[in-house]
Amino acid sequence: MSSEETIKIVLVDDHKLFRKGMMELINRIPGYAVIWEANHGKDLIEQLALKEKPHIVLLDITMPVMDGYQTADWLRQHHPEVKVLALSMYDNEPAILKMLQSGAKGYILKDADPAELKAALQDLTTKGFFYSELVTNTLYKTISKSKEKAPADTHAVSLNERELEFLHLACTELTYKEIADKMCLAPRTIDGYRETLFEKLQVKNRVGLVLYAVKSGVVKL
């Protein structure tokens, strides 16, 4: 996405008044615009077949017919280029972790300050993800609990030197394009490393890579 391109956003939430407020807030942010809305996941899927595809989907978790977890997972499988930002009233660890594992690239609370929403949208646009303090703390606690339950096993999966280098960099705030530049490789080659590690480590996204890297001792907290 170029810096001059308007970032297209779709809101998915079953509360019309909330959507209206969010739409007005987002449309006031320079460079961002809500192009359409959906009541739930199934409604989103049906409209996607007919309307313009967004860059970002702001997705509620608790919805009728098809909830946020199912919808994020569907988008991850069918439109991985679309970034999902979860919007929720829940600040509990299970909800946050499940949403990230389903494919969300960020998670903010519905009562968050407008400045945090703006930061989230900007990070999704420039970095491809938004790790707020809420998300970071959740990942840290989850990793800490996992380390207490089982000892690190660095020999479970055999990784070569370049795969380990990629895994280290994937645990930073660098985008995949920036990782490619740092490793002096083409973005397509980095995509290959990512998909190979997803398969080797049995994970679905970057969050899974980070969790594996810390639990296995590849990266130290």
Side-chain angles (χ1 to χ4, degrees):
M1 291 177 279
S2 69
S3 59
E4 298 180 357
E5 182 180 6
T6 296
I7 306 304
K8 302 176 183 69
I9 295 173
V10 164
L11 294 175
V12 188
D13 193 292
D14 57 322
H15 295 97
K16 292 182 180 180
L17 285 175
F18 176 77
R19 291 205 311 265
K20 179 176 174 56
M22 285 296 296
M23 180 170 64
E24 292 177 353
L25 181 62
I26 292 168
N27 287 341
R28 287 201 296 266
I29 302 174
Y32 296 86
V34 176
I35 55 174
W36 48 274
E37 308 165 48
N39 290 309
H40 47 69
K42 186 177 179 183
D43 187 24
L44 169 73
I45 292 171
E46 291 172 350
Q47 292 197 63
L48 264 177
L50 305 170
K51 298 182 178 180
E52 188 176 8
K53 185 162 55 175
H55 298 107
I56 298 172
V57 169
L58 266 65
L59 185 62
D60 186 24
I61 292 181
T62 307
M63 300 180 292
V65 186
M66 187 174 181
D67 66 23
Y69 304 119
Q70 296 168 306
T71 307
D73 190 56
W74 185 90
L75 285 168
R76 179 182 58 80
Q77 294 181 52
H78 295 87
H79 297 284
E81 71 282 4
V82 175
K83 305 295 188 296
V84 172
L85 176 62
L87 284 169
S88 178
M89 294 299 297
Y90 304 119
D91 62 355
N92 61 77
E93 293 175 34
I96 296 169
L97 193 60
K98 185 175 180 181
M99 203 61 191
L100 293 175
Q101 290 173 331
S102 296
K105 302 301 184 182
Y107 190 110
I108 65 172
L109 299 178
K110 286 188 173 182
D111 61 356
D113 189 275
E116 184 175 357
L117 173 64
K118 182 178 179 180
L121 294 177
Q122 290 176 337
D123 274 9
L124 283 173
T125 303
T126 58
K127 298 179 182 178
F129 61 91
F130 172 67
Y131 283 0
S132 63
E133 184 177 348
L134 178 66
V135 169
T136 302
N137 287 341
T138 296
L139 289 174
Y140 180 83
K141 289 177 183 177
T142 301
I143 291 167
S144 297
K145 290 176 183 176
S146 298
K147 290 176 74 177
E148 289 172 4
K149 291 178 181 177
D153 183 4
T154 57
H155 305 291
V157 179
S158 176
L159 302 179
N160 62 42
E161 185 176 338
R162 291 295 262 174
E163 288 172 340
L164 283 171
E165 182 182 0
F166 170 78
L167 187 56
H168 272 279
L169 293 171
C171 295
T172 69
E173 291 191 350
L174 294 174
T175 64
Y176 284 125
K177 184 180 184 305
E178 289 169 339
I179 291 175
D181 292 340
K182 202 167 187 65
M183 293 181 68
C184 300
L185 296 171
R188 184 171 296 181
T189 304
I190 289 298
D191 290 342
Y193 276 118
R194 182 186 65 223
E195 296 305 317
T196 296
L197 286 182
F198 281 174
E199 185 175 348
K200 276 189 175 184
L201 307 180
Q202 294 295 294
V203 299
K204 296 179 179 179
N205 50 41
R206 192 165 180 170
V207 173
L209 291 178
V210 174
L211 290 173
Y212 174 86
V214 178
K215 285 191 290 185
S216 64
V218 173
V219 172
K220 304 294 184 183
L221 289 174

